[in-house]
Amino acid sequence: MLQIKNLHAKVGDKEILKGINLTINDGEIHAVMGTNGAGKSTLSNVIVGNPNYEVTEGSILFNGQDLLQMSPEERAQAGVFLSFQAPVEIPGVSMTNFMRAAVNARRQALGKEPLKSTDFLKLMREKRKLVEIDQKLMNRSVNEGFSGGERKRNEIFQMAMLDPTFCILDETDSGLDVDALRIVADGFNKLRTAETSAIVITHYQRLLDYIRPDFVHVLIDGRIVKEGTADLARQIEETGFDWIKEELV
Amino acid sequence: MKSEQQYIELYQEAASIIKAKSCPVMNAVRNEAFSTFQCLGFPSKKVERYKYTDVDAAFAPNYGISLSPLTVKPSSYIFNIKDAPIDVTPYYHRVADVTDAITALNTALVHETLLVYVPKNTVVEDPVVVDNYLRGTAATMMNRRVLIVMEQGAKATIVMNDKATDKQQYLTTQVVEVYCHDNATLDLYEIEETTPLCARFSNVYIREGRDCSVKHNVFTLFNGLTRNLCDVYLQGEHGEVTLNGCAIGSGSRHIDNNTLIHHQVPQCVSRECYKYVVDDKSVGAFAGKILVDKDAQKTSSHETNANLCASSDARMYTQPMLEIYADDVKCAHGSTVGVMDEAALFYMRQRGIPEDEARALLKNAFMGEVVDQVKNEALRQKLYVKVEKRFRGDFEKCEDCQLCKK
Amino acid sequence: MKNNNEQQNNNKERNNERPQEKNEFVRSVAEKMYEFGFTTDVHTEIIDKGLNEDVVRLISQKKGEPEWLLQFRLDAYRYWLTQQQPEWGHVHLPEIDYQAISYYADPTAKSKKGPETVDEIDPELMKTFDKLGIPLEERLALSGTAVDAVMDSVSVKTTFKEKLSEKGIIFCSISEAVKQYPDLVRQYLGTVVPPRDNYFAALNSAVFSDGSFVYIPKNTRCPMELSTYFRINARNTGQFERTLIVCDEGSYVSYLEGCTAPMRDENQLHAAIVEIVINDHAEVKYSTVQNWYPGDAEGKGGVLNLVTKRGDLRGVNSKLSWTQVETGSAITWKYPSCVLRGDNSQAEFYSVAVTNNHQEADTGTKMIHLGKNTRSTIISKGISAGYSENSYRGLVRVGKQADGARNYSSCDSLLLGSNCGAHTFPYMDIHNNTATVEHEATTSKINEDQLFYCNQRGISTEEAVGLIVNGYAKDVINKLPMEFAVEAQKLLNVSLEGSVG
């Protein structure tokens, strides 16, 4: 599904990613772990095409398409979804209008007719239940006045609405209590199909107890320095990253 | 060649015809207004209140003057001033600033006046709608005059629509005088949807007595060159006024709003919010002055002007002014010129919303605050749609481009 | 308000005799007599009153100027003749009889050549500085401040010159600079404020008497604060200061300007020009404390302060900060401005303007953003009392090429008394869609709850007003160098003395 080759990227003048190689097949869940500033969020932002990040070298193929040649919205319409680490507030734009625009853009890309209003509202209702998100939040502007937990749930709700094939969960667990974490993770697991792939970026084992990764990658200083299975994540939870750093020396 | 000359000549030639078509109350002040205009001429950009609009250039084309009659649907509240149920002498040309050149020119040339008269303690439930259609086959100048008299305790909503149907050059001057007796409530809306060939000079003057509440909302959705002046005189205690403005510029449109809120007595409240989105090569200008007299203690005034520059060729001028001579006041103003929120834009694009659509949504959200202020539910819903359409206005934009190219 | 001099006490007595106004505690009263109002009896050489080409030539000749400077003056003079005195400020500028003014006064004429050491300075002059509380010699040395004191028009004494010259820093009177560094002066003079910039700039360019010249060479941090005290002394003498500061690449200087003028009945004209040139990575801080004679309680007399100050941030990453505390002058008309030409340049304007009695101030700044990613900040605090008029007038312009420009402006006005006015006239001209410009302004009276709180703690209303006003102005005062800040705080109290009862 996703092939990242020798990916280099920078923010401003600072090189953050220094040659990432990563292949994700259909249905696989990959966890990316690493210390602060290692480049985890840069990786997710580059995959979805945030204009603040500049790719200087390398390639990303998504189902054979050159992702780097596509605009952020084209990537999203093709089925790439990022659950943001810090979702922004968009005052004045209601959740409903926002979602309708997004859902219909995705449908159009798939060659489908836009949803009728009643069908759209029905879909909203259905998906809302999945992540146990309050109706009253839907009447507000996007993320405006949402608590940290509500924002994360709202991200998963939007994932449900847009039905992506490839998801990136960027520290979706940060700022969530255990119950919220469970709801969010359950939501994600329910949405998963055999074809859905994902990158789960996290500091902690906690989220990986709910969303079981097939592979774990350790990102340090812009490079993937260690790879393994779910056991590696557990090992890091117990002993931290230092031993990996020492191995590198 | 200064443009005023042709209007001076026009008046000298046409005064007798205009007077014949008009009525005594209007003719009584006509000659004096003309000599004021003759003496002032068109204001240059050096005149502070006209610094952002080239009046002389706007009046330069050779317009024919329209003397077509006013059509008044039979109604209990709307009249041709000739058929006024009250003596209008104490009102006509009494609220307006007689030293303003545009007002003077309008007073000299205008042949008919629309009177909206709401008697004492009368509540007009349905909005009074005044449609101004600009039609014709030649470049035409229209001079419009509206007098609104709200008696004690009267309540009304008045909606004035400006529309142009033909692709023709039109120049409109408009003077609206509003006289609110004590305890009157008025919602006044002006909605302009004309074409890039239209020029509009509108002067609105509002005088409020005690315990009055007036809202003035001006929406410039489609236009050519627009200059709106709105002066409010708070002359009775506990008066309230709210001025709202929505200005959307694209192509090479020009939108200049100039307001004055004059607190002449204590205990009045004024609120003002004007928002602009200027795109392409359009120019937006806002100047709003809050003037608080020495005796106008306990004044509360808040003015905001927020602007979005959406293209690198658009220009925005803003000038929020406070002139305060009383000490026990709470006055504040804020003005911002900003850019589209890039983080929000990216978030929307990540959800698959195309960039243009995302931009339109953000502009619409930005302007929403002004539309929210519209009290009349039906009108508010209509304006939401109009504003949204305006921001998606592909058709309108193409039309505009063609016109710009010529 | 710890000013224990007799005048103040006399004043209080006088105030008590005045009928109380309706507003018990916010009441405007005549202020204390001008503390610095005295005339020094120094022999002064004055050119006859009046202005014509011959006077311009005479000034130039007396100062032994080169031909190019004479031409500079004459061009400016000829242009000035074609112009009208501007009328746009929110002030009542009286008609000035330019022929009734003497354009040159030289207090050092007695000794013919300028004094070489402190001992040579006229003792009377030294006493004047003492009265002003400006320690010129030892106390200065202790405070590490170099002073180029200007009394009337000719620079009296420059301290620390040697120490500065070790670093290659030039700090001298502009007349001296014209003689010693003619090329430098010629290269920069009139390039920031051209002689045709405005009416008063043209006048100054024609007849400027003296002022300071500062040159900081590349990569040099000026080791001390440079300071000039201006003082208008001789009767009927216009003061036409000219200051030129050039801060070369990677350098830094902090410059202080303080002004006092003795009491006179006639209005005294002061039309100065300050030009600042800042090159790449350089930084200039310019601080002013102005307490010229504001006129008496009835609005008679006082200085007309009509000044053009401008900094040209030519270099990338250059910085300029204007800080001003304006408490004096009958009329102030002054807009220290910044042209942000270099990419990433930063400018700041911090101002406190206090007006009392019949003073009128129309002051603010212009921030002209031309370079990319330029930043500017404007913090203005106006305090009006008595019958005064206090206006903020400012322009923020973002040019078409100035991508990513940002400005934040905040203008607050405080009203003490019901006969004064506080006005805000900000102009914003934005020609670029990547600019972010924010302006906020508030006008209010002094907070009664705060006053009452102070009263309840046993603080008198007058003292409380002083405390609150100082707190209100703190954002700006804090930007001043230490010694100046203390003086400025005192000035605020003095200026508002008696404005509440």
Side-chain angles (χ1 to χ4, degrees), chain B residues 313 316 318 320 322 331 335 337, chain C residues 400 424 426 428 430 437 439 443:
Chain B
D313 290 323
M316 186 67 217
T318 156
L322 296 173
C331 296
S335 184
V337 181
Chain C
K400 202 160 164 33
T424 316
M428 278 160 270
I430 313 303
V437 178
H439 171 90
T443 303

Side-chain angles (χ1 to χ4, degrees), chain A residues 48-51 72-73 76-77 80-82 84 88 90-93 98 102 105 143 155 158, chain B residues 341-357 361-362 364-366 388:
Chain A
V48 296
N50 189 328
E73 55 268 34
Q77 288 160 12
V80 178
F81 183 92
L82 169 64
F84 284 83
V88 291
I90 313 180
V93 175
F98 170 70
N143 293 325
E155 294 292 289
Q158 292 176 39
Chain B
D341 180 348
E342 290 298 324
L345 200 60
F346 177 67
Y347 187 83
M348 295 170 107
R349 294 175 73 188
Q350 208 298 307
R351 297 297 181 249
I353 301 172
E355 188 175 347
D356 284 352
E357 173 70 14
L361 278 170
L362 285 178
N364 200 39
F366 174 79
E388 191 175 336

Side-chain angles (χ1 to χ4, degrees), chain B residues 152-182:
Chain B
Q152 281 177 359
K155 264 190 193 180
T157 299
I158 300 174
V159 184
M160 295 171 58
N161 294 306
D162 251 29
K163 288 176 182 166
T165 46
D166 301 304
K167 285 186 182 159
Q168 193 54 256
Q169 272 193 303
Y170 299 110
L171 170 70
T172 306
T173 74
Q174 165 177 289
V175 173
V176 178
E177 292 179 276
V178 179
Y179 199 101
C180 286
H181 287 273
D182 294 353

Side-chain angles (χ1 to χ4, degrees), chain B residues 36 40 93 96-104 205:
Chain B
T36 303
L40 292 171
H93 207 48
D97 172 10
V98 296
T99 63
D100 181 278
I102 304 290
T103 295
Y205 301 97

Side-chain angles (χ1 to χ4, degrees), chain B residues 280-294:
Chain B
D280 303 333
K281 288 182 175 173
S282 60
V283 176
F286 171 78
K289 184 190 271 192
I290 309 291
L291 174 59
V292 180
D293 282 357
K294 187 167 173 296

Side-chain angles (χ1 to χ4, degrees), chain B residues 40-61:
Chain B
L40 292 171
F42 285 119
S44 76
K45 286 194 166 188
K46 284 192 174 168
V47 175
E48 184 70 16
R49 293 197 78 178
Y50 285 91
K51 67 183 290 185
Y52 300 120
T53 297
D54 188 343
V55 183
D56 198 69
F59 281 82

